[in-house]
Amino acid sequence: EAQVTQNPRYLITVTGKKLTVTCSQNMNHEYMSWYRQDPGLGLRQIYYSMNVEVTDKGDVPEGYKVSRKEKRNFPLILESPSPNQTSLYFCASSRTYPVSGELFFGEGSRLTVL
Amino acid sequence: GQQVMQIPQYQHVQEGEDFTTYCNSSTTLSNIQWYKQRPGGHPVFLIQLVKSGEVKKQKRLTFQFGEAKKNSSLHITATQTTDVGTYFCAVETGANNLFFGTGTRLTVIP
C-alpha cells in the first residue's frame, strides 16, 4: 500500500530535549516536505527536499533541521524544542515537484513541548 | 512570496444546503490544488486545476478556476455529514513548493 509513515504520532517532551520525527514514503517520490498546522494558520511549510541531498527552507524553518540521505526518508529534527513548536506536524511527498503532482500526506505527528 | 486568501474561515450549513469556499490571489496562478482534511485526519488531495476557466466535477463537488487564473472555488451541492472537514486550496510558489490557504472549516448540521 502506497503511504507516508510518520513516527511518533504523539509526543510530549520538555524544552531543550532534542527530538526527531521520522518520515518515510514507499512510493519512490522525489519531493518530500514538512508542514506544521496550527489553528487559524493553516498548513505552513517548514522544509522541503527535491531529491536526495537537496533540501531548502520553507516559510517557517527556524528551530528545525532536516536531512535527505535516502530517497525514502526525510526526518525532521528539533535540536532544542521550545513551547512555540507545539503543533501538529505533517510530512508529505510527491512524485515530482508539486506543480505537476498531488501531495500525499502522512497521518501527522502531534507534538507538545512543555 | 505567494499569498492566497481563502474565505470563509468557517461555514455551518444544514444538511442538504449548498456550500462554497473561495480562494483568491493577487497574482496569476499557474495552477491550483484543493485538499480536504477530515477532523483528526490528514489532508487528502481532491483535484488540480490548470486551465483558465476550467470547471471540473466530482459527484456533488464542482471546482472552478477563474478566467484570469487568480481565483478558484469549490462548491458542494446538497451537503452531507460526510462532507464535514476543512477544505484547503494550495498554489505553487516560485520556489517549487506549495503554499496552502488557511482553509475553510465546514460543519454540517444533521
Side-chain angles (χ1 to χ4, degrees), chain B residues 94-108:
Chain B
N96 285 319
N97 52 14
L98 274 182
F99 180 90
F100 282 78
T102 51
T104 296
R105 181 184 294 182
L106 172 64
T107 300
V108 179

Side-chain angles (χ1 to χ4, degrees), chain A residues 37 45 48 98-99 102-103 106, chain B residues 33 35 37 42 92 95 97:
Chain A
Q37 185 173 32
Q45 190 176 50
Y48 65 96
V99 174
E102 66 181 272
L103 276 178
Chain B
Q33 296 183 3
Y35 290 77
Q37 183 178 21
H42 58 278
E92 179 204 356
N97 52 14

Side-chain angles (χ1 to χ4, degrees), chain A residues 9 31 35 37 39-45 48 50 57-59 88 90 97-108, chain B residues 9-10 30-31 33 35 37 40-46 48 50 86 88 92-93 95-103 105:
Chain A
R9 295 286 316 280
Y31 181 94
Y35 290 85
Q37 185 173 32
L41 297 177
L43 291 154
R44 294 181 294 165
Q45 190 176 50
Y48 65 96
M50 295 201 291
K57 296 178 181 179
D59 298 314
L88 177 58
F90 287 103
Y97 309 141
V99 174
S100 56
E102 66 181 272
L103 276 178
F104 292 84
F105 282 83
E107 296 193 0
Chain B
Q9 191 173 0
Y10 302 95
S30 57
N31 62 77
Q33 296 183 3
Y35 290 77
Q37 183 178 21
H42 58 278
V44 175
F45 175 82
L46 293 176
Q48 176 169 281
V50 179
T86 302
F88 293 97
E92 179 204 356
T93 71
N96 285 319
N97 52 14
L98 274 182
F99 180 90
F100 282 78
T102 51
R105 181 184 294 182

Side-chain angles (χ1 to χ4, degrees), chain B residues 23-63:
Chain B
C23 261
N24 299 304
S25 170
S26 58
T27 60
T28 302
L29 303 170
S30 57
N31 62 77
I32 191 165
Q33 296 183 3
W34 285 93
Y35 290 77
K36 176 184 178 182
Q37 183 178 21
R38 296 182 185 274
H42 58 278
V44 175
F45 175 82
L46 293 176
I47 209 159
Q48 176 169 281
L49 305 173
V50 179
K51 299 177 184 177
S52 167
E54 189 170 14
V55 178
K56 287 188 177 181
K57 292 191 175 185
Q58 291 178 352
K59 297 183 180 179
R60 294 178 294 102
L61 278 61
T62 302
F63 303 84

